[in-house]
Amino acid sequence: QVLCFFGYQSKNEEDVAPILTVVMQILKTSTTENPAKEDCVKFIEHLARKSEFKGLVMRNESVVQLLVDVVKSEKDGMRERACGALAGLSILPEAQKILAQSTIIDSLVGFILEKESEKLRGFSCAILWSLSLDTSLKHQMVDSFGVGEAMAEILKTENGAMLNHALLTLQNLAECEENKEALVEECGVVEPLMNVIKTNSAIRSKKYAISVLQMLPVNENIVDEVLGEVFQALGLPKWRKAANNDLETSNVEIPSEEKEDKDEIIIAQMARHRKNVIKEMASSEAVYVAGLQNIKIHFEEPLKTVKDAAKLNIPKIFHLLPPIRKTHETLLSDLENIINNVPEPNWSTEVASTLIRMTPFLKQCSPYIEGFDKTMELLDGLQKNKNAVKVLEKAKENCTLNLQSYLITPIQRIPRLELMLKDIIRHTPSESPDLKILKEAVNEITSVAAHCNQRKKDADTRYRLAAIALKIKNIPTEIDIMSKTRDYVHEGTLKIYPPSVGPMYFAHFYLFTDLLIWATNDEFDQGGSQHYSGHLAWKKRQLVIGRVSQEEMKQLQLRTNRSARRLVSSVPNESLMFTLENGTTSRVLCAPSEVVKQEWINRLKEAQK
């Protein structure tokens, strides 16, 4: 709650980003009973409604799917919050794509037809409107999901924003020829549309309803008289039948006006998104440069004064960083100058020009990347020197990260710049003259990032293995997490049954290409260390992933030990459980949701390969 409070007051992504990271981790690992979960969903809803933070939220790849899980499984208050967040994000094409691949449309239609709370129905309608913009979804929404019936229900009972969203959704759905007859015959939208035209006091709603009727194969003899009266009441030109027997309004082009309005809205949203990405590029560059300066002030200079610094090869750890630091200090100055002194419409082209000009200097990270493994070996040697360890511990008190975390940032920075530049291109209209120079900049940065990405992957793996090895206490000596033949694959929190007696308990699992190790949190260590709890190792193709049999379920349900400190539940959810076997040992695991279960199964199969 305290973190979220600060997040609500923050006005820039730099302050919000670390809070969002914590919030996402809580959502991924907490159970329904965790009271913090509702605060997390509420915080994401707050960000999703702010145009300046939508891009930040969407850069967390799993956020949409986590919100979908909340909508489908949690209590009403949290459902409303999650739906509100999805409604805010659903205008973005990347969010629409994820929502279209999920099964949420069924749930949204159910909320409307089953007359859930007004907020839940309103948010559901807003999300369905966003999804109806996707041409590939229009027919499926009517034919398979019953969206037409849901919109007809809203037309009968609602007013205001929800009604207008329903009318605009119907307009989008009616653009698909295959939907027109179904909307009239099966969904029964004509009568509710007529009632809106006759009885609703809002002129905009009347216009939307007329626009939908124009697109449907309706009997003009039935509606002609009503529409004539309405046009006269609205002071619009006289209603008449066209020569081709389609219904139209003389000199009134409502659909094209609405299309222009929507186009203008989308263009404005894209411009805001580009602005926010460029601001994030500058703010994240400032954080990166500050980190490089921290390395120099708090680590490099004090370590060089340590006895035997030359024998420890301390200068070699840092000798490639000065040119990188100088390059990014210049880049930061250029980005800040663009934001402070250049008109907003020109930001994209100026950023592209700056990155093209800086590309030769950004390539200075290549030697650093090539020598990163050696740097990590030298850094590992410092852990054996008491004087060096004291310097590292004192430096960590003054900085937000340890030295290992700072040293990997030059490898991560170029690929991140590439991603943000591509994000700007995705939100630039296809007819914009800015596209040419933006694409040129992407090509230049990609040439640098391609090399960084491969080395980043290797460096990330070695660094992550070292971090895990340091984090887990009491790992058996026969397990060498740092083995050069081992790669990191995945991690997350699951429930697990002990091998013989006792209930399920929560543990954090680390998956590698040939090993699954799990640990429990040390409740008395605020540094986040964990205690080794168990492991499962296998040779290639030896791991078997299976279902829990009925007999196994009966045995597991008998395991109730109310005095157990880590007791979770005496009755497991069978659909969320799966087994792992390596030929000699078997374990039963339980995921918090179907999505998480499937992700773990996919990653386990990936590890086997």
Side-chain angles (χ1 to χ4, degrees):
Q1 287 177 338
V2 173
L3 278 175
C4 291
F5 172 79
F6 283 112
Y8 293 137
Q9 314 306 314
S10 301
K11 300 189 185 304
N12 62 72
E13 290 191 359
E14 180 183 352
D15 296 332
V16 172
I19 299 174
L20 181 59
T21 299
V22 176
V23 164
M24 290 294 296
Q25 185 62 25
I26 292 173
L27 277 182
K28 288 178 182 178
T29 59
S30 63
T31 61
T32 302
E33 292 77 17
N34 188 344
K37 194 168 186 179
E38 187 161 0
D39 290 310
C40 293
V41 175
K42 181 180 178 182
F43 181 65
I44 293 178
E45 181 191 22
H46 164 77
L47 297 183
R49 292 186 176 190
K50 301 281 187 180
S51 59
E52 62 268 30
F53 293 134
K54 289 181 192 285
L56 172 65
V57 175
M58 283 306 302
R59 280 187 283 281
N60 286 269
E61 295 179 357
S62 58
V63 66
V64 174
Q65 189 57 58
L66 283 170
L67 291 170
V68 169
D69 290 343
V70 171
V71 168
K72 295 173 67 176
S73 62
E74 298 292 351
K75 56 188 180 182
D76 288 347
M78 218 181 302
R79 279 181 175 177
E80 288 180 1
R81 296 285 188 190
C83 253
L86 288 174
L89 297 174
S90 63
I91 193 65
L92 302 176
E94 52 266 49
Q96 292 172 12
K97 183 178 179 181
I98 299 171
L99 289 170
Q101 293 171 350
S102 73
T103 57
I104 195 174
I105 298 179
D106 270 335
S107 300
L108 301 176
V109 170
F111 296 152
I112 294 170
L113 294 178
E114 292 165 18
K115 294 182 171 57
E116 295 285 352
S117 71
E118 183 177 351
K119 279 188 177 180
L120 198 53
R121 296 199 313 277
F123 290 142
S124 298
C125 190
I127 298 169
L128 291 172
W129 168 70
S130 295
L131 292 177
S132 70
L133 296 169
D134 185 343
T135 305
S136 63
L137 267 183
K138 294 180 191 291
H139 180 56
Q140 191 179 4
M141 289 178 76
V142 173
D143 187 57
S144 303
F145 294 114
V147 175
E149 288 90 337
M151 296 302 103
E153 184 64 32
I154 290 175
L155 264 55
K156 296 175 186 176
T157 59
E158 302 295 342
N159 284 295
M162 197 189 312
L163 173 63
N164 288 338
H165 269 130
L167 290 166
L168 289 171
T169 302
L170 286 173
Q171 181 176 309
N172 292 333
L173 297 177
E175 290 174 353
C176 173
E177 288 295 328
E178 296 170 293
N179 286 342
K180 292 186 176 183
E181 188 174 340
L183 288 171
V184 174
E185 300 296 334
E186 299 171 19
C187 305
V189 301
V190 173
E191 185 176 348
L193 285 169
M194 295 286 287
N195 287 333
V196 170
I197 294 168
K198 289 190 291 185
T199 64
N200 196 284
S201 59
I203 293 179
R204 181 174 292 274
S205 297
K206 291 178 186 288
K207 288 184 176 181
Y208 287 158
I210 292 169
S211 176
V212 177
L213 272 180
Q214 285 182 296
M215 304 170 75
L216 297 176
V218 294
N219 185 335
E220 67 266 28
N221 293 326
I222 298 176
V223 298
D224 194 25
E225 184 178 348
V226 173
L227 292 177
E229 294 173 0
V230 171
F231 267 53
Q232 185 176 0
L234 293 176
L236 295 173
K238 185 178 179 181
W239 178 266
R240 63 181 176 82
K241 286 183 278 187
N244 61 0
N245 290 325
D246 288 334
L247 296 178
E248 69 176 272
T249 55
S250 176
N251 301 322
V252 179
E253 299 292 339
I254 295 173
S256 61
E257 288 174 2
E258 289 167 5
K259 183 178 185 301
E260 289 173 6
D261 288 344
K262 284 191 284 186
D263 287 345
E264 288 177 6
I265 291 171
I266 291 171
I267 289 171
Q269 287 171 338
M270 293 173 79
R272 284 196 297 271
H273 186 87
R274 294 195 302 276
K275 172 185 172 182
N276 292 330
V277 172
I278 291 170
K279 281 187 172 182
E280 185 200 355
M281 186 181 290
S283 63
S284 61
E285 188 70 14
V287 172
Y288 172 56
V289 168
L292 294 176
Q293 292 167 345
N294 280 341
I295 293 175
K296 184 178 188 324
I297 296 168
H298 297 291
F299 293 96
E300 181 181 358
E301 292 177 351
L303 280 170
K304 284 181 177 179
T305 65
V306 169
K307 185 180 178 180
D308 296 329
K311 286 184 179 180
L312 292 170
N313 288 311
I314 287 174
K316 287 187 178 180
I317 295 175
F318 305 102
H319 75 289
L320 292 173
L321 285 173
I324 295 175
R325 184 166 55 245
K326 181 64 177 175
T327 293
H328 284 276
E329 286 173 348
T330 303
L331 177 58
L332 173 61
S333 176
D334 290 347
L335 291 173
E336 289 178 340
N337 180 63
I338 290 170
I339 290 173
N340 294 327
N341 301 312
V342 175
E344 277 184 27
N346 299 334
W347 281 12
S348 295
T349 54
E350 289 296 321
V351 166
S353 298
T354 297
L355 290 173
I356 291 170
R357 187 178 68 254
M358 294 296 295
T359 298
F361 302 99
L362 294 173
K363 289 179 179 178
Q364 290 173 332
C365 67
S366 292
Y368 180 84
I369 294 169
E370 291 293 344
F372 186 77
D373 283 348
K374 182 63 177 176
T375 301
M376 288 293 102
E377 289 176 12
L378 294 174
L379 195 59
D380 188 50
L382 296 185
Q383 303 296 331
K384 301 169 185 176
N385 184 286
K386 291 182 180 179
N387 294 325
V389 169
K390 287 181 181 178
V391 171
L392 292 174
E393 289 178 349
K394 184 177 180 180
K396 190 176 177 182
E397 292 175 3
N398 298 317
C399 303
T400 56
L401 300 175
N402 59 28
L403 182 54
Q404 292 96 323
S405 300
Y406 278 124
L407 289 176
I408 201 173
T409 56
I411 298 176
Q412 299 168 328
R413 186 58 191 165
I414 304 300
R416 188 173 183 191
L417 287 174
E418 179 192 24
L419 289 174
M420 287 189 280
L421 197 52
K422 287 180 176 178
D423 196 5
I424 293 172
I425 288 179
R426 283 198 303 272
H427 291 85
T428 300
S430 57
E431 66 276 8
S432 172
D434 297 351
L435 272 181
K436 182 179 179 181
I437 192 169
L438 284 168
K439 288 180 178 179
E440 183 183 346
V442 163
N443 291 336
E444 292 288 338
I445 292 294
T446 299
S447 66
V448 183
H451 180 62
C452 291
N453 275 323
Q454 182 54 47
R455 294 299 299 154
K456 175 180 177 293
K457 181 179 179 182
D458 297 338
D460 280 349
T461 297
R462 309 320 304 164
Y463 172 76
R464 194 181 288 267
L465 292 178
I468 293 171
L470 289 170
K471 187 173 186 178
I472 303 176
K473 297 178 180 178
N474 306 320
I475 298 177
T477 55
E478 67 268 20
I479 300 177
D480 178 17
I481 289 183
M482 293 294 293
S483 169
K484 291 186 177 180
T485 61
R486 177 170 293 132
D487 285 331
Y488 169 88
V489 178
H490 188 53
E491 70 179 85
T493 301
L494 300 170
K495 301 172 191 174
I496 184 171
Y497 269 104
S500 55
V501 295
M504 284 189 297
Y505 63 91
F506 282 111
H508 197 79
F509 286 75
Y510 300 92
L511 175 62
F512 307 95
T513 45
D514 62 344
L515 173 72
L516 180 68
I517 187 169
W518 54 96
T520 56
N521 291 330
D522 185 341
E523 297 176 5
F524 303 101
D525 185 354
Q526 295 183 353
S529 65
Q530 298 173 332
H531 284 290
Y532 166 85
S533 185
H535 76 277
L536 195 67
W538 59 87
K539 295 179 181 179
K540 192 173 183 181
R541 304 286 182 183
Q542 190 184 36
L543 183 66
V544 177
I545 307 166
R547 295 182 178 180
V548 180
S549 67
Q550 290 297 320
E551 183 58 33
E552 285 176 315
M553 281 298 300
K554 290 179 183 178
Q555 294 298 320
L556 294 174
Q557 288 173 341
L558 293 175
R559 291 192 190 179
T560 53
N561 183 358
R562 294 292 179 182
S563 63
R565 179 170 60 87
R566 294 177 296 181
L567 178 63
V568 175
S569 173
S570 59
V571 183
N573 186 337
E574 182 180 356
S575 67
L576 301 179
M577 299 173 72
F578 59 99
T579 62
L580 297 178
E581 186 176 352
N582 65 356
T584 59
T585 306
S586 178
R587 290 289 185 268
V588 178
L589 307 178
C590 185
S593 71
E594 286 284 358
V595 172
V596 174
K597 173 186 172 182
Q598 190 57 51
E599 182 178 17
W600 268 98
I601 290 174
N602 291 341
R603 293 305 184 95
L604 285 160
K605 290 177 180 178
E606 176 187 332
Q608 283 183 293
K609 296 176 182 179

